């Protein structure tokens, strides 16, 4: 049976992989953050991302490189990749928005929608469902929203101030930008030449009702790899999931 939404879903993506990952040292002393391996998997973060993108129907990926770009480029040359990959390197710092615009200019289908993801995100959920959500709302941009678990324990109290329960690492009451996106073709022209789109383009789109938020389904795996502790926790969680 033919999927009526297949033709409108992205087949191209940008991965932002230029960060220095200073909080992940010493792992990032000799490699960019997306090249750090998840313990126990033998594969860097970027490798997991490319497999996921391919599973979700992506055929072409542009990777925006920066810090120690040659290490990532060398790995891409030697790896058996499930998608076609192009790398771009900023000749001068453009900021997150400028870097995204520069990378988007190298996508093979400028007239079609595209995905984007930060290079330090390790997740699994249906990008196809997110793309359909984006199309249904006629959004210019859609952000995946995560509800991360707090790194601290929490307490519950009653109306009299008595503690009634302790909760270890509860989920946040707020949703956050999960670092995964669907963008319509027009989005690239709204990005700044340099600077941060999260302080310019996104607020503008929100005011214009052109920005949508797709909650990552409950139970789907999501983690931002920012620190050595995140690597350890990711390895534990993946082992528990049997992956």
């Amino acid at each position: 049976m033919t999927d009526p939404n297949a033709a409108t879903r992205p087949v191209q993506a940008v991965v932002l992989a230029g960060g220095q990952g200073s909080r992940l040292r010493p792992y990032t002393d000799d490699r960019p953050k997306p090249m750090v391996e998840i313990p126990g998997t033998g594969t860097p973060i970027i490798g997991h991302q490319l497999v996921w993108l391919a599973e979700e129907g992506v055929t072409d990926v542009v990777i925006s490189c920066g810090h120690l770009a040659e290490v990532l480029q060398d790995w891409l040359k030697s790896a058996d990749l499930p998608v076609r990959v192009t790398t771009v390197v900023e000749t001068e710092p453009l900021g997150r928005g400028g870097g995204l615009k520069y990378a988007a200019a190298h996508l093979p289908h400028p007239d079609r929608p595209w995905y984007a993801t930060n290079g330090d995100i390790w997740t699994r959920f249906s990008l196809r469902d997110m793309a359909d959500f984006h199309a249904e709302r006629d959004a210019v941009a859609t952000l995946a929203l995560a509800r991360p678990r707090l790194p601290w324990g929490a307490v519950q109290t009653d109306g009299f101030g008595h503690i009634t329960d302790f909760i270890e690492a509860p989920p946040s009451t707020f949703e956050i930008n999960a670092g995964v996106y669907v963008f319509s073709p027009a989005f690239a022209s709204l990005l700044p030449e340099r600077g941060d789109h999260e302080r310019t383009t996104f607020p503008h789109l929100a005011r214009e009702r052109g920005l949508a938020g797709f909650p990552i389904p409950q139970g789907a795996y999501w983690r931002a790899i920012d620190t050595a502790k995140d690597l350890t926790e990711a390895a534990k969680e993946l082992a528990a999931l049997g992956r």
Side-chain angles (χ1 to χ4, degrees):
M1 187 167 139
T2 304
D3 186 341
N5 296 321
T8 63
R9 294 182 189 133
V11 295
Q12 55 187 355
V14 168
V15 177
L16 296 174
Q20 293 196 11
S22 56
R23 295 169 63 199
L24 259 175
R25 287 177 179 154
Y27 297 100
T28 50
D29 284 344
D30 61 353
R31 67 194 66 193
K33 196 175 184 182
M35 279 300 298
V36 173
E37 291 185 2
I38 305 287
T41 70
T43 303
I45 299 167
I46 187 75
H48 292 287
Q49 290 185 321
L50 294 177
V51 168
W52 175 50
L53 290 169
E55 290 172 350
E56 293 297 323
V58 172
T59 58
D60 293 88
V61 177
V62 176
I63 301 178
S64 178
C65 308
H67 174 64
L68 296 174
E70 64 281 358
V71 176
L72 176 51
Q73 290 171 324
D74 287 346
W75 179 82
L76 291 168
K77 288 174 187 173
S78 64
D80 183 14
L81 302 176
V83 291
R84 288 184 292 270
V85 171
T86 302
T87 60
V88 296
V89 182
E90 297 171 25
T91 55
E92 58 180 321
L94 300 175
R96 289 191 296 178
L100 189 58
K101 188 183 188 80
Y102 180 65
H106 294 79
L107 288 167
H109 309 290
D111 58 338
R112 297 191 63 179
W114 45 292
Y115 298 117
T117 180
N118 296 341
D120 58 356
I121 301 299
W122 177 202
T123 187
R124 283 292 187 279
F125 65 90
S126 174
L127 285 175
R128 291 180 173 91
D129 287 350
M130 186 176 172
D132 293 346
F133 179 96
H134 171 84
E136 287 163 4
R137 282 149 187 81
D138 197 25
V140 179
T142 297
L143 286 60
L145 304 177
R147 199 181 291 275
R149 291 197 167 273
L150 299 177
W152 317 283
V155 296
Q156 282 186 337
T157 60
D158 62 19
F160 297 99
H162 298 118
I163 292 176
T164 58
D165 200 4
F166 291 87
I167 306 168
E168 186 63 31
S172 168
T173 56
F174 294 98
E175 292 175 312
I176 65 166
N177 178 353
V180 181
Y181 313 92
V182 183
F183 297 133
S184 295
F187 179 75
S189 65
L190 302 177
L191 287 165
E193 295 294 335
R194 61 182 66 232
D196 189 349
H197 60 294
E198 294 193 10
R199 298 188 179 191
T200 55
T201 311
F202 281 173
H204 168 75
L205 284 175
R207 289 191 296 270
E208 299 292 323
R209 297 292 187 269
L211 193 64
F214 175 79
I216 294 177
Q218 188 172 4
Y221 187 79
W222 178 89
R223 179 175 284 276
I225 308 296
D226 288 322
T227 65
K229 184 179 180 183
D230 290 326
L231 278 177
T232 304
E233 293 298 318
K236 288 180 185 175
E237 290 160 356
L238 293 176
L241 291 170
R243 293 180 182 173

